[in-house]
Amino acid sequence: MASASYTEDLTCSICLMIFTDPVILLCGHSFCRECATLSLSSQRQCPQCRAAVPKEGTCLLTNHNLKSLAEKEAEKLQKGHGKDTEGADWLCPEHEEKLKLFCVTDQQLACIICRDGERHEGHKFKPIKEAAAPVRRELETFVQHVSDDICALESLASTQKEEITKTKTKSQQLMTQICRQFEEMHQFLRKREDEIKNDLKHREEDAVEKMSETLHTMETALSESRELEGRVTSALEIKDPERFLKCWSEENNRKTPEHLFRPRADELQVVNTTLCLGPYESHLQFFVWKEMLQVIQPRAELLSLKSDSRNITVSDDGKHLMYSPEIIQSSLSLSLRCKYCGHSPTRPREDTSERYASAFSSSEFTSGQHYWEIEVGKKDYWKIGVKNNYLIYNNQKYVTSKQNKKLTFTGRPQKIGIYLNCQSKELSFYDAENMTHIHTMTEGCMSVPVAAYFEYKFSRGADHYPLKVCCY
């Protein structure tokens, strides 16, 4: 109790805190210097006893003894709150008794009086040291877990940084690869452009040379005819017959006009050489694109098909998958009957029932990235992709093999492009006619090696639209 009273004596009655630089008034009461200054600035009387404070008492004197005691008490309280080992010396704020117990039920410190009070009736208590031991062990374990988690997070963060670096490096490599490949195509296009332009220039030069030769011949004939015309006209201007005949005969060595003049207009013709570049004039882009296919690397996979189905025939080059209808015997009655036994003979017919047939590529993919194209034509049902992972088209609807999910793609392409990335295990489908993306499957369960897979339905005796692998 003495300790609590002692603390109250060192408390400022204005701010209710331990004195800070205490001063004493004429009435004998002490306050913090800041508190006294603020109070006296509004009213000239002691905040505690209301005794008047004259103006000459404005000079506040420091209470050195009180200041020393207050500083020591403040230091003691600060040390008490800063050390866990001195927790037993703390006082109960309600009963001002030492906190020696720990209420397990309320998880708080308590004194002896608190333990016997109504608020803690029926609660479980432990001595502070005994209660602190398991909490300490629990916190030590917790700290260890936190430390382990920090190590794991640091490792993850380091790995993530490495992945970011790898991604940036990969992006830069791909950027370089893209620039190089486009530059190769640009070089090819510039080269073909120069070659086609040079060919056109040579054709132009040849045509102009031929027409220039013809023009030179025409101009020579024209000059000769004009010269002859001038000579004849000059001779005709002579009126005297004797002089006219003498002049004409002497100048032309007695040649007749028929011998002097030979019509040339009927002999010469205008040379009309029409410049033509063949298909490079009308289908330049298409032909150059076809030429570019021969230098582009890599190109679509040259798959070879195989099938174990009875009614499936694979072409000799392994590119076409065709249906071979099975010939079966049918007891179809004929109009003629056997004259000996009276039975109707049988004749063979084609099996036109609806069938499904599948095929695989003869080679398997084990690594890397691959692309191939399949011409599906106008079939109303097909499955294309790889084993256990494929795209299904059935009556104008697209679904996947795994999710059985209907896709929003509504086109009807005649060719389907399939892209397989064995490393990321991604399988993508495209409209090969304009490279429109249809769908990408990211199936983690896709395992390698894996073969290309094909399936389609037959509903007629003969197959006029065989499924085939596109080649370029």
Side-chain angles (χ1 to χ4, degrees):
M1 294 292 188
S3 177
S5 300
Y6 177 68
T7 303
E8 290 181 1
D9 292 337
L10 298 176
T11 301
C12 174
S13 60
I14 296 178
C15 66
L16 303 179
M17 301 290 290
I18 299 295
F19 284 116
T20 302
D21 190 11
V23 296
I24 186 170
L25 301 182
L26 296 177
C27 61
H29 293 119
S30 296
F31 307 95
C32 296
R33 179 178 294 277
E34 184 177 357
C35 295
T37 301
L38 291 174
S39 178
L40 294 176
S41 64
S42 60
Q43 54 183 356
R44 309 295 302 177
Q45 59 183 7
C46 174
Q48 189 168 344
C49 66
R50 304 301 179 184
V53 178
K55 288 186 178 182
E56 55 271 16
T58 306
C59 183
L60 302 177
L61 301 176
T62 301
N63 190 336
H64 292 285
N65 293 332
L66 190 58
K67 180 180 180 182
S68 178
L69 292 172
E71 290 176 350
K72 291 179 180 179
E73 181 64 17
E75 183 179 355
K76 179 181 178 181
L77 292 175
Q78 185 177 3
K79 289 182 179 180
H81 287 288
K83 298 181 180 180
D84 292 338
T85 57
E86 296 177 5
D89 295 333
W90 293 354
L91 298 179
C92 175
E94 182 179 357
H95 305 111
E96 297 183 356
E97 290 289 338
K98 289 184 179 181
L99 299 171
K100 297 182 179 181
L101 300 175
F102 180 75
C103 180
V104 179
T105 306
D106 289 341
Q107 292 291 302
Q108 65 180 21
L109 295 174
C111 67
I112 301 297
I113 300 177
C114 290
R115 179 193 64 184
D116 299 333
E118 181 179 357
R119 192 176 62 171
H120 291 279
E121 184 177 359
H123 289 186
K124 182 179 180 181
F125 290 87
K126 286 184 178 181
I128 288 180
K129 290 185 178 180
E130 181 182 342
V135 176
R136 183 179 297 277
R137 289 194 297 270
E138 182 180 355
L139 289 179
E140 289 175 350
T141 303
F142 174 75
V143 168
Q144 184 60 44
H145 290 165
V146 173
S147 178
D148 294 341
D149 188 63
I150 289 174
C151 292
L153 288 174
E154 289 177 347
S155 177
L156 290 174
S158 177
T159 304
Q160 188 63 72
K161 290 179 181 178
E162 293 177 359
E163 290 300 323
I164 292 174
T165 303
K166 289 180 182 179
T167 299
K168 291 182 178 179
T169 303
K170 180 67 174 179
S171 176
Q172 187 61 41
Q173 292 174 349
L174 290 176
M175 191 70 69
T176 303
Q177 176 180 322
I178 290 171
C179 293
R180 184 182 70 252
Q181 293 183 357
F182 267 99
E183 180 59 28
E184 290 175 357
M185 290 190 288
H186 292 161
Q187 289 178 359
F188 173 81
L189 291 175
R190 286 193 291 265
K191 179 181 177 182
R192 288 298 294 134
E193 180 183 4
D194 292 340
E195 291 174 351
I196 295 174
K197 285 181 177 179
N198 290 334
D199 182 44
L200 175 61
K201 188 66 176 177
H202 292 326
R203 291 172 184 261
E204 176 193 358
E205 292 174 352
D206 293 342
V208 170
E209 183 179 0
K210 293 179 181 180
M211 290 186 288
S212 297
E213 292 176 355
T214 303
L215 177 62
H216 178 71
T217 302
M218 291 178 176
E219 289 176 345
T220 301
L222 180 62
S223 177
E224 294 175 352
S225 297
R226 284 176 176 172
E227 181 182 358
L228 179 60
E229 181 186 25
R231 289 162 52 194
V232 173
T233 302
S234 299
L236 291 175
E237 290 177 353
I238 300 175
K239 302 298 182 181
D240 183 47
E242 181 180 353
R243 184 182 173 190
F244 166 73
L245 291 175
K246 182 179 180 180
C247 178
W248 175 254
S249 60
E250 289 180 353
E251 289 184 0
N252 298 281
N253 298 321
R254 300 179 182 181
K255 293 181 179 180
T256 62
E258 288 78 7
H259 290 89
L260 293 175
F261 176 69
R262 178 170 59 89
R264 302 292 302 278
D266 295 337
E267 297 178 0
L268 300 177
Q269 292 183 352
V270 175
V271 176
N272 184 11
T273 302
T274 303
L275 287 179
C276 180
L277 292 175
Y280 293 103
E281 181 176 344
S282 58
H283 297 76
L284 185 143
Q285 292 181 343
F286 178 77
F287 269 71
V288 172
W289 169 70
K290 296 287 283 186
E291 292 174 3
M292 186 180 292
L293 288 178
Q294 307 307 314
V295 298
I296 289 177
Q297 295 294 337
R299 290 187 283 175
E301 302 286 340
L302 300 178
L303 298 182
S304 180
L305 306 179
K306 66 177 182 178
S307 177
D308 297 329
S309 300
R310 294 173 53 190
N311 295 338
I312 291 295
T313 299
V314 179
S315 61
D316 294 338
D317 60 1
K319 308 303 179 187
H320 295 73
L321 196 64
M322 299 171 290
Y323 176 57
S324 300
E326 183 182 7
I327 304 300
I328 63 174
Q329 296 294 326
S330 173
S331 56
L332 182 65
S333 297
L334 301 177
S335 58
L336 299 177
R337 291 179 177 274
C338 179
K339 62 181 181 179
Y340 298 105
C341 61
H343 292 109
S344 299
T346 59
R347 68 176 183 181
R349 67 177 179 83
E350 290 185 353
D351 180 11
T352 58
S353 60
E354 190 173 88
R355 300 289 183 88
Y356 294 85
S358 60
F360 294 90
S361 60
S362 57
S363 59
E364 294 183 328
F365 306 112
T366 57
S367 62
Q369 303 174 38
H370 307 272
Y371 177 82
W372 63 95
E373 293 182 358
I374 303 297
E375 184 173 339
V376 296
K378 299 181 180 180
K379 296 185 180 298
D380 57 2
Y381 175 89
W382 45 257
K383 291 181 181 179
I384 291 177
V386 297
K387 187 177 181 180
N388 299 327
N389 295 275
Y390 42 79
L391 183 68
I392 306 171
Y393 176 78
N394 188 9
N395 293 326
Q396 300 183 355
K397 295 179 182 179
Y398 295 88
V399 294
T400 61
S401 58
K402 290 298 182 182
Q403 298 95 346
N404 198 23
K405 174 185 176 183
K406 181 180 178 181
L407 306 182
T408 57
F409 185 77
T410 57
R412 183 73 184 276
Q414 307 296 302
K415 295 180 181 179
I416 302 295
I418 302 96
Y419 168 76
L420 172 64
N421 189 328
C422 294
Q423 182 178 0
S424 62
K425 296 184 178 180
E426 290 183 350
L427 186 66
S428 300
F429 301 90
Y430 297 87
D431 179 350
E433 296 175 340
N434 53 26
M435 301 314 292
T436 300
H437 179 250
I438 299 176
H439 181 66
T440 294
M441 302 174 66
T442 54
E443 300 296 338
C445 59
M446 186 186 302
S447 59
V448 292
V450 65
Y453 176 74
F454 317 90
E455 178 181 313
Y456 71 121
K457 179 176 63 176
F458 307 99
S459 58
R460 59 170 67 93
D463 182 22
H464 301 288
Y465 302 101
L467 183 147
K468 66 178 181 178
V469 178
C470 299
C471 300
Y472 297 96

